[in-house]
Amino acid sequence: MELKRIGVVTSGGDSPGMNAAIRAVTRVAYAEGLKVLGFERGWEGLMKNVSRPLSPRTVGGILGLGGTILYTARSPAFKTRDGVKKAADTLDLSNLDGLVVIGGDGSFNGALELSAETDTLIVGVPASIDNDVYGTDETIGFDTAVNTAVAEIDKIRDTAISHERIFIIEVMGRTRGFLALAAGITAGAEVILVPEIAVNEDDVCQIIESNRVRGKKSGIIVAAEGVGDMRKLAEGIKKQTRSTVRLSVLGYAQRGGSPTARSRLLACLFGNKAVELLLDRRGGMIVGMQRGRLVAFSLEKSCMTERTLDLSLLKLAGVLAT
Ligand code: F6P
């Protein structure tokens, strides 16, 4: 049977480039003669059957827009069996042959649950500022978030140098350190703290002290939010090193803004590949980029496996920031 109609949904935390992915999915699908339905507010839209038709024209002008025109939501109701059933019913009612889920690992876990309840083929497009999806080296929006964080850290560096202060700058990343590591290394942070490694206050203070001895009187500590409350660490550093320490939480700005060219390119390639997979009737997959090559990867394996952080980069970051 020929593929006729597909759906697309953005779910979980938004990330810059989600719109570019919606545009790519819609335009490639149309070029292949498929109709596209966009579900609103993530899984909420599937459970409540709230959607609108998308066409090449309705996705015009969104390539460079942050956020998602389909809206997104955190959806506790979808975590129940009843919620998943409702979403599966919507897919049947809407006569959808395929569904493209644009989101991060939480959304993919939902997609896996849903795929067990429906014949509609499901393909995942990784989009998250956390970059914590197994099966792809990079998610849509990660590069943008790193650039946003680096731009802010550069500014804070100016005031840190002027006042000879130590700054702890907290970045997002949920329970993982991908964003902190990438932002830290590219902003020249003296210390990078990630949830994957327990914080040792004495080690941090030792780096600050030895930098001071060598004439470096200010310092930037980039900490992933998953490391925990940084106020205690700030107090500890203040006491041990007698430095002035300030804490700056970058927050939700990291989720917004116009996607970088790199995030847009990933969105274009991933969106195209997702539709190709559906046309080949290959559901239960995610698309990804591995070592510069576009790949299709098992959705189940992606959900079951944790992506590892390259801890050797932490050591390199330390050497580069001496
Ligand atoms: O997953 C993206 C992310 O921004 C995380 O980095 C952060 O921990 C979380 O979402 C915040 O979630 P919420 O938008 O529900 O506050």
Side-chain angles (χ1 to χ4, degrees):
M1 216 183 56
E2 227 186 303
L3 213 64
K4 290 198 183 85
R5 275 156 74 82
I6 66 168
V8 60
V9 64
T10 50
S11 163
D14 58 348
S15 73
M18 277 185 160
N19 280 326
I22 295 168
R23 169 182 176 269
V25 168
T26 304
R27 290 191 172 167
V28 172
Y30 260 73
E32 294 292 340
L34 307 177
K35 294 266 178 278
V36 183
L37 264 192
F39 287 90
E40 295 187 347
R41 296 176 191 82
W43 300 124
E44 293 294 316
L46 273 139
M47 289 186 294
K48 295 178 184 154
N49 198 1
V50 182
S51 67
R52 60 180 135 120
L54 297 177
S55 71
R57 290 284 45 85
T58 59
V59 296
I62 66 170
L63 177 61
L65 279 188
T68 160
I69 58 159
L70 290 177
Y71 311 108
T72 185
R74 305 274 182 211
S75 189
F78 189 72
K79 297 213 165 96
T80 64
R81 191 162 162 72
D82 192 42
V84 176
K85 273 258 175 226
K86 279 187 187 149
D89 289 346
T90 299
L91 292 176
D92 288 347
L93 269 174
S94 317
N95 268 322
L96 289 185
D97 305 301
L99 177 72
V100 178
V101 178
I102 303 171
D105 68 330
S107 306
F108 290 173
N109 279 303
L112 185 64
E113 297 276 321
L114 183 58
S115 64
E117 300 289 339
T118 178
D119 290 334
T120 303
L121 303 165
I122 297 182
V123 170
V125 166
S128 162
I129 65 161
D130 301 335
N131 207 23
D132 55 354
V133 174
Y134 187 82
T136 186
D137 295 340
E138 192 170 326
T139 50
I140 297 167
F142 176 66
D143 181 64
T144 310
V146 172
N147 277 284
T148 301
V150 168
E152 293 304 303
I153 298 167
D154 284 350
K155 289 175 197 155
I156 294 172
R157 170 83 74 184
D158 293 342
T159 179
I161 292 171
S162 305
H163 283 263
E164 301 183 309
R165 282 173 172 168
I166 304 297
F167 269 86
I168 302 178
I169 302 170
E170 183 183 298
V171 300
M172 280 188 164
R174 198 180 286 279
T175 57
R176 306 303 310 278
F178 295 100
L179 183 51
L181 181 56
I185 199 165
T186 52
E190 279 69 27
V191 178
I192 302 172
L193 301 175
V194 293
E196 286 80 356
I197 295 184
V199 180
N200 184 323
E201 191 180 302
D202 292 342
D203 287 351
V204 174
C205 291
Q206 211 255 310
I207 293 169
I208 291 167
E209 294 284 19
S210 69
N211 281 349
R212 184 181 289 157
V213 169
R214 290 182 302 102
K216 204 179 200 181
K217 294 186 182 137
S218 64
I220 299 288
I221 299 168
V222 170
E225 62 178 340
V227 171
D229 189 348
M230 285 295 109
R231 280 172 300 193
K232 229 179 104 214
L233 181 70
E235 275 307 311
I237 296 172
K238 205 160 124 188
K239 262 201 203 117
Q240 250 197 79
T241 66
R242 275 171 269 106
S243 322
T244 308
V245 186
R246 294 282 190 267
L247 172 61
S248 185
V249 178
L250 294 192
Y252 287 88
Q254 295 162 95
R255 282 244 292 264
S258 182
T260 58
R262 186 158 150 179
S263 289
R264 293 182 201 196
L265 182 62
L266 273 189
C268 294
L269 299 176
F270 283 3
N272 176 45
K273 180 86 177 169
V275 176
E276 273 178 13
L277 286 177
L278 291 176
L279 288 167
D280 290 347
R281 306 218 151 259
R282 293 175 69 196
M285 308 294 284
I286 67 161
V287 300
M289 193 61 86
Q290 293 177 1
R291 295 167 196 259
R293 290 175 60 123
L294 203 54
V295 296
F297 193 82
S298 151
L299 171 65
E300 187 173 9
K301 186 156 187 211
S302 173
C303 292
M304 299 306 162
T305 324
E306 187 154 280
R307 225 189 132 209
T308 48
L309 190 67
D310 183 354
L311 295 176
S312 69
L313 289 179
L314 278 179
K315 209 171 152 216
L316 172 65
V319 173
L320 295 179
T322 45

